[in-house]
Amino acid sequence: MIQTLPRVIAEPPGKPPPDGGAELQQLALRIATHPAAGHSGLTAVVRELSIGWRPVWDTEHATGRTDFLVDALARGRPWPSGICLELGSGTGQYTPVLAGTFGRVIVLDLAREMLARAPTHPGARVQAGAARLPLADASISAVACVDVLLFAREITRVLDAGGVLI
């Protein structure tokens, strides 16, 4: 069953797009419209586009807001028990919120610099790209995606039978 929650929290004013934002939007569109296409070399492209904003992500690009995620988690219940995979976790701004709902969270990001600033608990930190998740089939109960490219095939592959995408 697919449940879509209506938007009730507005975007924050003045959040600047990261450098390379237009290229990332085109990449996201290509991935969304051609999910069966091979995405070889994609990790390198994303890594290159993100290099400039990694050191200043928290101060210049991140909103510091978690209210939208808190709201979605409160209204989207019931949630499955098990592990939550946070894709594109960055410095872990949303990890504590997810841990409050799921307990165990695996944070995954392409950038070692971002993961170095991420929380060391409540789960593992994994450096990898979302185009090829280093996880077993049907091993995750929830996948959380905030400001990250959506690789539907990989997410579907790792979600267990009752799994959800947030």
Side-chain angles (χ1 to χ4, degrees):
M1 176 180 86
I2 295 176
Q3 178 183 9
T4 302
L5 300 176
R7 178 178 280 241
V8 296
I9 297 177
E11 294 245 357
K15 178 185 176 188
D19 295 337
E23 291 91 344
L24 283 172
Q25 286 180 342
Q26 288 300 315
L27 190 57
L29 180 61
R30 192 173 83 219
I31 292 166
T33 56
H34 298 80
H39 299 295
S40 62
L42 195 53
T43 298
V45 171
V46 173
R47 183 175 284 133
E48 183 64 29
L49 287 171
S50 68
I51 284 173
W53 46 259
R54 285 180 197 159
V56 294
W57 181 258
D58 285 342
T59 57
E60 294 182 16
H61 298 289
T63 64
R65 293 177 52 177
T66 59
D67 53 351
F68 67 91
L69 183 57
V70 169
D71 177 68
L73 292 172
R75 293 190 299 133
R77 296 183 190 273
W79 297 107
S81 60
I83 299 171
C84 176
L85 173 64
E86 181 182 5
L87 292 181
S89 62
T91 60
Q93 176 181 350
Y94 307 112
T95 306
V97 176
L98 293 167
T101 297
F102 295 99
R104 293 179 55 207
V105 180
I106 295 174
V107 298
L108 183 136
D109 200 278
L110 191 56
R112 183 184 314 264
E113 299 92 338
M114 298 291 230
L115 286 173
R117 291 183 243 159
T120 57
H121 64 283
R125 293 185 286 182
V126 176
Q127 182 183 3
R132 293 193 77 170
L133 296 170
L135 299 164
D137 294 357
S139 61
I140 299 295
S141 296
V143 175
C145 299
V146 179
D147 286 337
V148 69
L149 297 172
L150 185 65
F151 293 93
R153 281 189 187 269
E154 275 299 279
I155 290 170
T156 302
R157 182 184 66 77
V158 300
L159 280 174
D160 64 28
V164 297
L165 171 64
I166 304 165

